[in-house]
Amino acid sequence: MENRSFVFYSERNVYLSGELRDGCLKLESEVYGYINSEGHYSLNEEETKKLLSLISIDELIEIGKEKHLDGVLSFFIDNSIDYDCIVI
């Protein structure tokens, strides 16, 4: 599994990116406007392997483009993929 950075979407007030590094997936979400927030989501190596056994990174990016962060997190939940989350 090679290291890779990618952007799901980058619009005027919202942004979602991801990084696959050292076998672990990390996502970063930013929302600016009436309410500002940042979200940091991470999967450990075991959960990242579990995810990649179900779907490719490119397929996950397509889910994010179509359904945004909620779609990606729903995929995690629907497939019992555990992740850590910090929202600021």
Side-chain angles (χ1 to χ4, degrees):
M1 183 178 342
E2 70 181 57
N3 293 341
R4 179 177 174 189
S5 296
F6 46 92
V7 175
F8 291 90
Y9 52 86
S10 179
E11 299 170 9
R12 185 167 185 236
N13 295 324
V14 294
Y15 174 81
L16 178 63
S17 67
E19 180 178 45
L20 190 56
R21 180 166 308 283
D22 300 327
C24 297
L25 179 66
K26 296 187 185 320
L27 305 177
E28 183 174 308
S29 169
E30 298 175 3
V31 177
Y32 297 102
Y34 181 71
I35 298 174
N36 297 329
S37 72
E38 290 182 25
H40 303 275
Y41 307 85
S42 60
L43 281 67
N44 64 28
E45 190 171 355
E46 181 179 323
E47 294 300 314
T48 301
K49 285 180 184 177
K50 184 176 174 181
L51 171 69
L52 295 177
S53 74
L54 299 171
I55 191 170
S56 71
I57 288 296
D58 291 329
E59 291 169 321
L60 185 67
I61 292 168
E62 286 305 311
I63 290 173
K65 285 180 179 180
E66 292 176 19
K67 300 180 182 177
H68 289 187
L69 178 61
D70 288 340
V72 173
L73 297 180
S74 291
F75 184 87
F76 292 169
I77 292 166
D78 292 347
N79 291 282
S80 302
I81 296 171
D82 294 325
Y83 61 92
D84 293 322
C85 171
I86 298 173
V87 177
I88 303 168

